[in-house]
Structure formats: structure tokens, C-alpha cells
Amino acid sequence: MKRSSEVLPAFGSKSHRIRSSGAMSRAVLQTFEEYQKARVTFVQTVADLATRPQNIDALQNAGVMALLRPLLLDTVASIQQSAALALGRLANFSEQLAESVVTHEILPQLVYSLAQQNRFYKKAAAFVLRAVAKHSVGLAQAVVDSGALESLVVCLEEFDPSVKEAAAWALGYIAKHSQELAQSVVDAGAVPLLVLAFQEPDLTLKRISASALSDVAKHSPELAQLVVDAGATSLMVKEVSNSDAPLKRQVCSCLAQIAKHSVDLAEVVVEAEIFPNILHCLKDVDQVVRKNAATCIRELARHTPDLAKLIVNAGGIAAVVDYVNEASGNSRLPGIMALGYVAAFSETLALAVAATPGRGGMLRAQTQTLVGREALAPGCFKVVSKGIPPLKDALISEPEDHVKAAAAWSLGQIGRHTPDHARALAEADVLRRILAVYLHQDSSEDLQIKAKRALKSIVQKCTHLPALEPLLDSPPNILKYVVQQFAKVLPNDAEARKAFVQSGSLQKLQEASTEHGSKLQEMVDSINLLYPPEIVQYYSPNYAATLLKKMEGFAPTG
Amino acid sequence: MAHFFAMEARKEEVAKHYFELTQAASDALPSEVKAVTKIQSYHRATQIRVVYHEVVAAAQLIQRMVRGCLGRRRAQAVNLQRNNWLRQHFFHHCARTIQKRFRGYRSRSCIHDFYGRKLYLEKVEKRGEWTKDYLAAEHKEKLAAAKVSEELKVREEFQHLAGDLHHLMSTRTIPGVYNPPYSDLLPRAFEKPIEEHLREACVAKMPASLKRTRHRSARAQGSARFGASQAEASFLEEVRPPQEIAEKAPCFSRAASSGRLRKIQGPFRSREQIEVANVKAAQLYGTIQATGPYDALEHDQRMQARISKLVRSSNLDFRAAGNKEKATPSSVHVGMPFNDRPVELRGDYVELPKIRDKPPFFTAHGGGKQFGEYHEQPLLAHGHV
């Protein structure tokens, strides 16, 4: 290449030579500048276009992935970041695009650069990893296989809270799919760093690290134990009284996921003094916080009677009953189940859940039984938690079968203990409602099974015959328990026998179709023996026809 | 003999009678035998009956005695048995009562305490009611707080938005968008017209980088008095003039040149004082020229120049021919030496020749004013200085 002085011999001064060489390199540089500007414009425009769903198909058809991939290794940092951001938005949109990110082998490049680049790139790269991992187990496994876990864990040690946030979010999305993935996140040493991140003052970081810990702990008791061992429980319990609603949602969810696995874990949560703060969350302004708090209480109550008693002693049952009263739909389910779990353990707890107001229900009956119908002492009447009406309301008015099934189950747990409990339910007209749900043609199989079991357990304890009379219309598999109760009570009570006839129940019993020789038939026969044969015959279904036949065959004498 | 013949005649009677009797006897024999038998049987029976009855009576007596004896014994035994039974019944009842009480006690203490449960349920009920009330009150508070914060947020957002919309504010000649000239009803938000919000939001603020830092007021100490002037010393001693001057930090400067850090020298007047001075100046010192438009003179000069251009025919000014102007004679005072020191009138003195360490003397009213200037109250709209 000739020098500029040889090219231009007429202008031989040194300054002119320098000026002309500068002009040439400027021209060269300008080309590069234009190329760089074009790349910047391209990548920023693609990132903007990727925010709108209507552009995604066009971008995909234009082969945007293949074009963005080399830009991840661009020399200009802002192009790398914008390319990563664009990839993240594309992968976020659909599983198909996320799969194409994986098939284009973008993940190893991202992971490689993640360790070396600045915080903006790290944020964008973590965003891409999260967007890919969120869709399915396979994609999350692909992210793990590309070695992203170690880099993400390193990002958790960064100073910038937004980088930590992005890394925690990605780890959470990886861990949420399966136990194996959660185990690999734990093996990468993420849990202590997530707990440290949770202690940061930044609210969004707290939320996301709580969510990630919840996703890790939910799979198995061992993983939950690891989260507890990292000291997460006491920190989370402190944040239960935070004023930020999204944080409370995640914290309550995480504590519920920890407590659900075993008694020991539930006791750890309780020992961290979660009560009574968790009860405040039941009355929070945010609906999801209320639901998650009810879920946490349910997971604590289900393990042992002591834990259930602890909740009752803290006034939790009244709060849960209030919550079930006010909530609707799926949100009601954890509250309903919590009441059922508490009532299942013992008569006392079932009384605490269920005694009805004003009439003094069960306690009055018990007092009569024990002291031989002496005059009641004043103050015997108790108004405890009024748990039956909201459960009955859920059974009747909820559209979802699984909520109705839970309500039927809970009512069964309340009524199965003693005749007084069963009577309380019978007086609240619950039996008829459970029967209606059982017989309804649109009820799912699970609902029918739970309704049947609840009916069976309540009826087998019920000695209040007026409440059992409406059940004489039930199908044979329920009728046999009802008739069994009648067969137990009627022989000893003359008034009840009279009322049985007067109410038309004897007639119904005769009309009930029973298989000859079955246990039901035997019980019906044993009840029939309690009455004169004329009465039984009178109420038998074919009596009119029999009388008419007799009349036809009768020849008058004289 | 008659008796014999009578008897002979009746000899057959005897035989007959005998035979009759015998016949009667033989006829009567069965019956007599029967009767005799009967009598004998009755007699025997009687005898036997007597014996029998005696025996029976004796037997009955014996039996009676024996039965009585046996009965008494039996009665005694039964009585004994009954007493035993009663005693046993009593003891059983006592034992049952004791067992009942003990079982009740043991059941209450070890198995199930009904009254304890009753008390427990009462406690649970109270606790539940208290919890419900507390949570309901807290929920209400939270809702109210959320409502207030949302309202504040909306207001702040509105204020922020209003601050950006200064271009929509009305000017003197052009009504703004929110100040329609043809309608009395102005669009309002938060109980005020939006125009007012825009005006309030458009406050010119000094950027933070240009604001002067504030000095902390240093405590007056002995060493700080060294080199302090009398004015500074008076401030150090907290001696203030009786006039109302706006509160300003005293002017200290340790450096010779502290540039922008240095306070502007005071004292300053308050806003009311400035307002009063402005009104007074407008009233007292207003001239015809001051009341006229600013550019009146210039306007007039231009007008005259224009007119003269129209009427003049030449550039040169008219000059009368004739003698030159005589030199003006000099004044009497020309040769007199100039007196450097100005004449000091009595009114110029703030105070008499300065005495060392004497605190300054301040008059109640400032001097050198016209009489009308002392009465400032009617000059202000709010009537307060």
C-alpha cells in the first residue's frame, strides 16, 4: 500500500500526510460505526418488538434466534445485554420458543458469559434462563444441564440486589418443577444464599427469594428440612407481620410448604412463634394472603392433636370460621379443611369447632345425661365457634365439587364422635343436605364417596330420631345405617315408637324396597315386631289391594 | 176268775200280741239291728271321734306349737336375713357412692373432666370472640389506612401530573384549557379548580446543585470575641435593636474569602416591611415620569426625530451667524479648596462620637422619616407589619 505522501507528491508536508491518513482511517471507522449502530438498532428494535405478542410469530419466522445468537458474543456490552433481553422476552412468550432457544445452543454461551460480564448482562442472562426454565421439566433440566446452576449461585453473591433477584427467580423456576431439579438447586449450594438474600432490605428480592425457597421446600421433607436448617423459618415468621402484601403471600406459602411434610417441621414452624401473627393475615386486605395464611394453618393443624389444640387456644378457630364465612370459591377450601382436621382429633376439639349458639346444644344434653336430668345450672349454654353454618353453606352453595367434598368431609369429622355431636348436626339440618349432595346426579365420584362416609359416620352416632326420619328416603346403602339406629332406639322408648308411627315413618319403612334375607330386611322385621301385626299390615304397601281381594273372594252368608 | 177268762180269752191276744210283737220285733229286727248298728256305729264313731278329735286336737296342738316354734324360728331367721340384707344394702349403697365419687374424681383427674372441659370451652369461646373482634378492628384500620394511602397516592400522582402541565395554565391574554372563558363552571378536582392546581404545582424551584449550604450557628465563646467588631459583639451578646428585623443567622466568616459560602451581609427586611416600603415609595415619590409609560421619553424623541426628518431640508443644524459665544466667567468658589469631609448634620448621626465598649443605642423609631411614613398600617391589605 502506498503511503499518502507518494500518492500526493504535490503536497509533501508532514501535517498534510497525517491529515490524509486520518481521513482514510476515519472512513474505515465510519463503516464500523455504522455497522455498530445498525446492530444496536436491530437488537433494541427486536427487544421492543418482542414485548408485543402479535410480533412474535413474525420474528420467529424471520429466524430471529439465529440472528440474536451471535450478538450475545458481540464486543459491545449494550448489544449483548439487549440481545439477551430480546431472547428472554421471546423465550418467555411460549414453550416452543424456549425450546428453540435450547436447540440453538444459546444456553451454554449465556452461562459462559454470565460469569464474566457486568451486572446488566447478568440480569438479562438470568432473565433468559428463567424464561426458558419456567415452561416445563425438560426445559428446566436443559438449563441445569448447561451448567447454569453454579453461575446463578455465583450471581446470588453479587452486590447488586437486582442481579440477586434475577438469579433467585431463575433458581426458583428451576426448582419448582420436580424434586430432582430442586435437589440439584440445593446441591449447588443455593439455599444458604437464598436465605441471605431474604434478609436483604429490598422488598422485591425478599419476595423472590421467599418464593424460591418455597419452591424448593415443597417437594419433600428432606428438602424442607434443608431449608429449615438454613435458618429460614424464623426469618420468614418475622416477615409475616410485614405490611407488604406480595411478601406476605410468599412467606405464608413457604411456611405452609415447610409445615405440610411432617410433625417435626410443623413444630419448628410453631416454635418460631408464628401464632398469633398468622391470624392477622387471615384478615388481611389482600385475598391471596388470606388464602395462603389459611393454608398454612391447615398444614399446621393436621398433624397432631397438640398442634390443633394450640390453634384452638390461640383463638384460631374463630378466625378460621370467620374466614370460611367470608371467602368464596377455591379460597374457602383450606379453611374448610382446617376445621375438619381440628375436629377430627377429639370430641372436645369438635365441640370447640362446632357447637351451635343460643340453644346450648351439646353441652346441655351432656349435662342432662351425666346428672340425671337435674335442673341446669345457669351459664351452661355456650356459644363457641359456630363452625357448622359456614360448612353447611359451603356444601350447599359452592359450585366446585372438591369444595363440597371437603365440606362434607369436615361435617363428618365433627359429627362422628358422640350422639350429641351428631344431634347438633342433625338439628342444623345437615344430614338432609349431605344426602341431597350424595344423590345429585352431577356430583363427582369423590364427592359421593365423601358424602356417603360422612353420612354413615354421623348416622351411626345419631339417636335423635326426628332427624333420621327424612333419611328414610335414601338408597339402601345409607338406609341400612338409618334403620339400624331406629332398631337400636325404638325398643326402649315408647314415645318414640308412637311418634314413629304418627310421622309416617313406619309406612315409609314398609314401602322401602329391601332384598329378602338381607340385613336390612332383618332389621325392618325386628322393628315390625315392636308393633302389633295389624298396624304393620295396615301400613304395608299392598294392604289396600289385599283388602280388595279379600272382599272379592268373600261370599256373604244369609 | 174273770180276770182269768178275760185273760184266757185274750190268751191268743198274748200269743198274738207275742207273735205280733215278735213279728214286729222280727220285722223291726233289721231296722232295729240297723238302728242298733247305727247307734253302735255312732257310738263307736263318737267314741272314736272323741278320741280322734282328742288326738287330732292334740296333734293340732302339737303341730300348732311346732309350727309356731318353727315359724318363729323362721321369722327370726328371716328377720335376721332381712336385717342383714338391709345392712348389706346400706353398705353397698355407701360403697357404690364412694366408688362413684372416686370414679368420678379419677375420671375427672385422669380420664375426662366434664366441668374442666366446660370451663375450657368457655375460655376458647371468649378467646375466639376476642380474636375475632381484634382482627375485625385491625382489618377496619387497615382498610382505612389503605384507603387513605390510595387517596394520597392519587393526589400525589395528580400533583405530579399537574406539575408537568404548566403549558396548559392560563396566561393573562390566553385562557388555558381548564379555564374556559365562556363558562362559569371550572373543571374541578379534589374540591378545587384544576387551574388552581396547575398554578400551585408550577413553582419555580432552585435545583439542588445550586442551593447554598446552610451554616450551623456556632456558639459564642470567649475566643470568638477576639477581633469581633462592635456589631458582631452586639450579636454575640444577643443584643438586638427594638425594630423588627427578619430572623437571620448572624454573619460570621473565618476565611477572608469564602466565596459563595459567605452569607450576604444583612440586616434584611421582612416581606411586610418591603411591601410597606414599596407602597410608600409609590405614594410619596411618584413623579409624572414614574407614572408614565417606561419608554415615553424614547418614544417622544423618536417621534420628534421623525417629524424633524420630515420637515428638515438639511443635515446641518441651524447656526446663527455672528460673534462667537463669550467665555462664561468663572465662579467665586473656583479657587476655594475642596473640603473632603462632608458637613455632618445632626440628623446623620446614629449616635454620638464612639465610646469604647459601649453597647449601641437604638432608637425606638428610625429617624429621618417624614411624618406620614410612620403610620404604615393603612398601606397594607392585611393591615399588619
Side-chain angles (χ1 to χ4, degrees):
Chain A
M1 189 173 149
K2 288 184 181 174
R3 287 188 191 173
S4 53
S5 57
E6 294 166 358
V7 171
L8 300 166
F11 305 96
S13 65
K14 191 178 176 186
S15 59
H16 182 72
R17 281 202 299 275
I18 291 167
R19 273 203 301 276
S20 54
S21 69
M24 290 301 291
S25 59
R26 221 179 301 127
V28 168
L29 281 173
Q30 197 174 353
T31 318
F32 283 95
E33 277 173 14
E34 281 169 15
Y35 177 51
Q36 185 176 319
K37 263 188 224 167
R39 290 200 315 276
V40 167
T41 316
F42 169 73
V43 81
Q44 283 179 355
T45 315
V46 167
D48 285 334
L49 289 171
T51 55
R52 290 182 192 79
Q54 56 266 27
N55 299 328
I56 300 291
D57 285 334
L59 286 170
Q60 195 180 3
N61 294 336
V64 69
M65 292 287 173
L67 291 171
L68 285 175
R69 183 170 174 262
L71 291 174
L72 282 174
L73 299 171
D74 201 277
T75 48
V76 178
S78 69
I79 294 177
Q80 289 178 4
Q81 289 150 25
S82 304
L85 187 63
L87 277 170
R89 285 176 181 166
L90 287 167
N92 203 24
F93 181 73
S94 74
E95 192 174 341
Q96 207 185 358
L97 280 166
E99 279 171 7
S100 75
V101 167
V102 174
T103 48
H104 279 87
E105 293 178 7
I106 292 174
L107 292 180
Q109 287 178 5
L110 272 175
V111 170
Y112 172 73
S113 313
L114 197 59
Q116 288 157 15
Q117 294 292 341
N118 64 8
R119 58 194 172 101
F120 300 106
Y121 185 84
K122 283 185 180 173
K123 257 199 300 193
F127 171 51
V128 177
L129 292 171
R130 166 182 114 216
V132 169
K134 82 173 191 185
H135 294 284
S136 69
V137 181
L139 286 168
Q141 188 62 49
V143 169
V144 171
D145 292 339
S146 65
L149 282 178
E150 287 76 22
S151 311
L152 287 171
V153 167
V154 167
C155 286
L156 280 178
E157 294 172 347
E158 281 281 317
F159 289 112
D160 187 3
S162 54
V163 172
K164 285 199 233 196
E165 199 180 299
W169 208 338
L171 287 167
Y173 272 17
I174 292 170
K176 79 176 182 186
H177 292 288
S178 72
Q179 187 175 341
E180 290 74 28
L181 286 167
Q183 187 63 50
S184 27
V185 167
V186 167
D187 293 339
V191 170
L193 293 169
L194 285 170
V195 172
L196 269 176
F198 184 75
Q199 296 174 55
E200 295 277 331
D202 188 39
L203 269 178
T204 38
L205 181 56
K206 275 176 145 50
R207 286 178 209 157
I208 288 163
S209 43
S211 165
L213 287 168
S214 168
D215 287 332
V216 167
K218 73 183 184 185
H219 296 286
S220 73
E222 293 80 22
L223 289 169
Q225 188 63 48
L226 282 165
V227 171
V228 166
D229 291 341
T233 328
S234 51
L235 297 167
M236 297 247 172
V237 166
K238 273 187 213 154
E239 297 300 335
V240 165
S241 35
N242 197 298
S243 54
D244 182 52
L247 178 60
K248 276 192 281 196
R249 286 182 202 173
Q250 299 302 333
V251 160
C252 291
S253 166
C254 186
L255 289 168
Q257 301 288 7
I258 291 172
K260 77 179 184 185
H261 294 289
S262 71
V263 183
D264 297 327
L265 289 167
E267 281 175 358
V268 167
V269 172
V270 167
E271 278 163 18
E273 294 176 25
I274 194 173
F275 290 104
N277 296 332
I278 193 79
L279 300 179
H280 295 243
C281 293
L282 276 178
K283 274 288 194 180
D284 197 82
V285 174
D286 187 69
Q287 193 196 0
V288 180
V289 172
R290 295 201 293 267
K291 185 181 174 194
N292 288 353
T295 309
C296 188
I297 293 175
R298 177 191 74 192
E299 300 301 345
L300 290 170
R302 59 189 271 236
H303 294 286
T304 63
D306 292 329
L307 286 170
K309 202 170 172 189
L310 184 78
I311 295 172
V312 170
N313 290 347
I317 289 300
V320 172
V321 166
D322 249 0
Y323 168 74
V324 173
N325 256 328
E326 289 165 2
S328 64
N330 256 331
S331 304
R332 252 179 166 176
L333 183 64
I336 293 171
M337 290 179 71
L339 293 177
Y341 280 127
V342 169
F345 285 118
S346 73
E347 299 170 21
T348 311
L349 292 174
L351 269 180
V353 170
T356 50
R359 287 172 293 171
M362 282 186 269
L363 282 173
R364 173 205 223 166
Q366 282 189 340
T367 317
Q368 281 185 342
T369 312
L370 285 175
V371 304
R373 300 180 191 273
E374 293 166 7
L376 285 169
C380 251
F381 296 82
K382 293 292 173 289
V383 177
V384 197
S385 297
K386 306 168 202 168
I388 297 178
L391 291 172
K392 182 181 159 189
D393 179 66
L395 184 69
I396 297 168
S397 57
E398 284 295 328
E400 296 281 332
D401 272 1
H402 60 277
V403 180
K404 284 187 193 269
W409 172 79
S410 297
L411 288 165
Q413 295 305 315
I414 292 171
R416 70 182 180 90
H417 296 281
T418 67
D420 299 316
H421 292 76
R423 183 175 175 162
L425 287 176
E427 284 178 354
D429 194 30
V430 162
L431 296 178
R432 206 164 52 88
R433 302 293 182 175
I434 300 180
L435 181 66
V437 159
Y438 174 67
L439 293 174
H440 198 270
Q441 58 195 2
D442 292 335
S443 300
S444 66
E445 196 182 320
D446 177 55
L447 174 55
Q448 286 182 339
I449 291 171
K450 291 205 162 83
K452 183 190 165 202
R453 283 186 190 155
L455 263 179
K456 180 182 166 187
S457 56
I458 297 169
V459 163
Q460 281 181 328
K461 287 289 179 183
C462 186
T463 54
H464 183 55
L465 300 183
L468 291 176
E469 281 165 11
L471 299 181
L472 287 169
D473 297 324
S474 44
N477 53 353
I478 303 291
L479 186 63
K480 65 182 176 192
Y481 302 111
V482 179
V483 173
Q484 191 178 30
Q485 287 303 107
F486 278 114
K488 273 188 207 165
V489 176
L490 287 176
N492 307 318
D493 194 344
E495 283 296 323
R497 286 200 293 274
K498 190 172 162 190
F500 190 67
V501 172
Q502 284 171 336
S503 63
S505 304
L506 184 62
Q507 184 173 7
K508 269 193 212 167
L509 200 60
Q510 306 309 313
E511 288 165 4
S513 58
T514 52
E515 280 177 22
H516 191 69
S518 64
K519 210 169 173 191
L520 180 59
Q521 184 60 46
E522 286 174 20
M523 286 190 282
V524 171
D525 292 338
S526 67
I527 291 175
N528 287 342
L529 288 172
L530 299 171
Y531 294 96
E534 305 85 49
I535 296 180
V536 175
Q537 218 174 14
Y538 179 77
Y539 286 114
S540 57
N542 300 324
Y543 186 59
T546 317
L547 281 178
L548 279 171
K549 240 188 217 171
K550 243 189 190 173
M551 205 177 73
E552 282 163 14
F554 180 69
T557 53
Chain B
M1 252 5 218
H3 193 67
F4 179 78
F5 287 110
M7 291 228 333
E8 177 100 35
R10 285 178 52 206
K11 89 170 162 190
E12 286 172 6
E13 270 184 33
V14 168
K16 201 187 206 176
H17 191 66
Y18 173 75
F19 280 125
E20 281 177 3
L21 285 174
T22 310
Q23 186 68 39
S26 69
D27 288 341
L29 184 69
S31 63
E32 278 178 3
V33 165
K34 206 174 168 183
V36 163
T37 310
K38 201 165 245 181
I39 289 164
Q40 283 175 355
S41 69
Y42 279 147
H43 180 71
R44 280 191 210 107
T46 306
Q47 278 184 325
I48 290 168
R49 205 177 285 119
V50 164
V51 169
Y52 168 75
H53 281 299
E54 280 173 2
V55 167
V56 163
Q60 278 180 345
L61 180 67
I62 292 167
Q63 283 177 357
R64 204 166 50 242
M65 301 302 280
V66 167
R67 263 194 229 111
C69 188
L70 287 175
R72 274 190 295 283
R73 280 191 196 169
R74 205 179 308 122
Q76 197 181 22
V78 166
N79 223 7
L80 199 66
Q81 199 183 16
R82 182 170 162 271
N83 285 338
N84 279 343
W85 180 83
L86 278 175
R87 218 174 289 123
Q88 282 295 314
H89 186 74
F90 176 70
F91 291 150
H92 284 320
H93 176 75
C94 292
R96 268 199 300 273
T97 306
I98 292 167
Q99 285 171 0
K100 188 170 75 173
R101 294 292 167 104
F102 181 75
R103 279 195 201 110
Y105 163 74
R106 201 176 70 164
S107 167
R108 277 191 298 278
S109 62
C110 304
I111 302 168
H112 170 61
D113 183 358
F114 175 76
Y115 295 104
R117 183 165 81 174
K118 201 162 138 184
L119 279 171
Y120 170 70
L121 289 171
E122 272 175 23
K123 245 188 349 186
V124 163
E125 173 220 340
K126 275 191 197 137
R127 182 64 197 252
E129 290 292 326
W130 182 85
T131 305
K132 262 190 343 190
D133 294 337
Y134 180 84
L135 290 177
E138 202 191 21
H139 181 63
K140 211 170 158 186
E141 273 173 26
K142 271 189 198 165
L143 277 175
K147 201 173 163 190
V148 162
S149 72
E150 200 182 321
E151 209 179 299
L152 269 173
K153 200 173 146 193
V154 167
R155 273 189 191 253
E156 265 175 35
E157 216 175 301
F158 182 80
Q159 289 293 336
H160 182 73
L161 184 63
D164 288 339
L165 297 178
H166 54 84
H167 56 281
L168 298 180
M169 215 161 58
S170 309
T171 60
R172 207 164 153 191
T173 50
I174 302 171
V177 174
Y178 296 108
N179 186 13
Y182 305 112
S183 163
D184 289 334
L185 292 171
L186 297 176
R188 304 174 79 88
F190 297 111
E191 294 105 32
K192 261 199 299 190
I194 296 179
E195 183 69 29
E196 217 173 301
H197 283 292
L198 292 179
R199 280 172 194 279
E200 279 172 11
C202 294
V203 172
K205 285 181 193 166
M206 180 90 85
S209 57
L210 294 179
K211 281 187 187 163
R212 281 180 287 139
T213 54
R214 293 190 170 273
H215 280 301
R216 280 195 216 114
S217 57
R219 284 186 67 95
Q221 291 177 4
S223 57
R225 289 176 64 102
F226 181 76
S229 68
Q230 204 169 22
E232 285 180 347
S234 69
F235 275 109
L236 284 172
E237 289 170 356
E238 301 292 321
V239 170
R240 300 221 184 280
Q243 59 183 325
E244 289 172 13
I245 297 178
E247 289 290 325
K248 293 286 174 186
C251 175
F252 292 123
S253 175
R254 292 195 185 169
S257 62
S258 41
R260 285 176 58 222
L261 295 176
R262 204 173 156 188
K263 284 262 184 216
I264 297 171
Q265 302 292 323
F268 293 99
R269 290 179 293 174
S270 69
R271 196 194 291 176
E272 291 79 12
Q273 287 174 322
I274 293 169
E275 215 177 296
V276 160
N278 287 343
V279 172
K280 272 198 279 191
Q283 280 189 357
L284 295 175
Y285 305 118
T287 57
I288 293 169
Q289 189 177 3
T291 50
Y294 179 70
D295 57 350
L297 186 64
E298 202 182 303
H299 181 71
D300 188 59
Q301 282 173 351
R302 279 195 202 137
M303 189 63 74
Q304 293 298 327
R306 230 178 270 142
I307 291 169
S308 69
K309 269 190 192 168
L310 287 172
V311 302
R312 278 171 67 151
S313 55
S314 162
N315 285 347
L316 299 171
D317 285 338
F318 173 71
R319 193 178 282 192
N323 297 336
K324 285 186 185 174
E325 291 173 5
K326 286 181 192 170
T328 51
S330 59
S331 160
V332 175
H333 302 286
V334 165
M336 293 279 286
F338 179 70
N339 196 2
D340 279 340
R341 209 170 144 196
V343 173
E344 285 181 338
L345 301 175
R346 181 66 185 85
D348 293 336
Y349 280 109
V350 173
E351 53 181 353
L352 290 172
K354 293 175 185 168
I355 304 167
R356 226 180 159 74
D357 293 331
K358 177 179 155 302
F361 178 77
F362 300 107
T363 55
H365 278 288
K369 293 184 190 172
Q370 298 183 15
F371 282 120
E373 289 179 12
Y374 282 107
H375 190 49
E376 296 162 355
Q377 200 128 347
L379 299 175
L380 292 171
H382 46 80
H384 167 72
V385 177

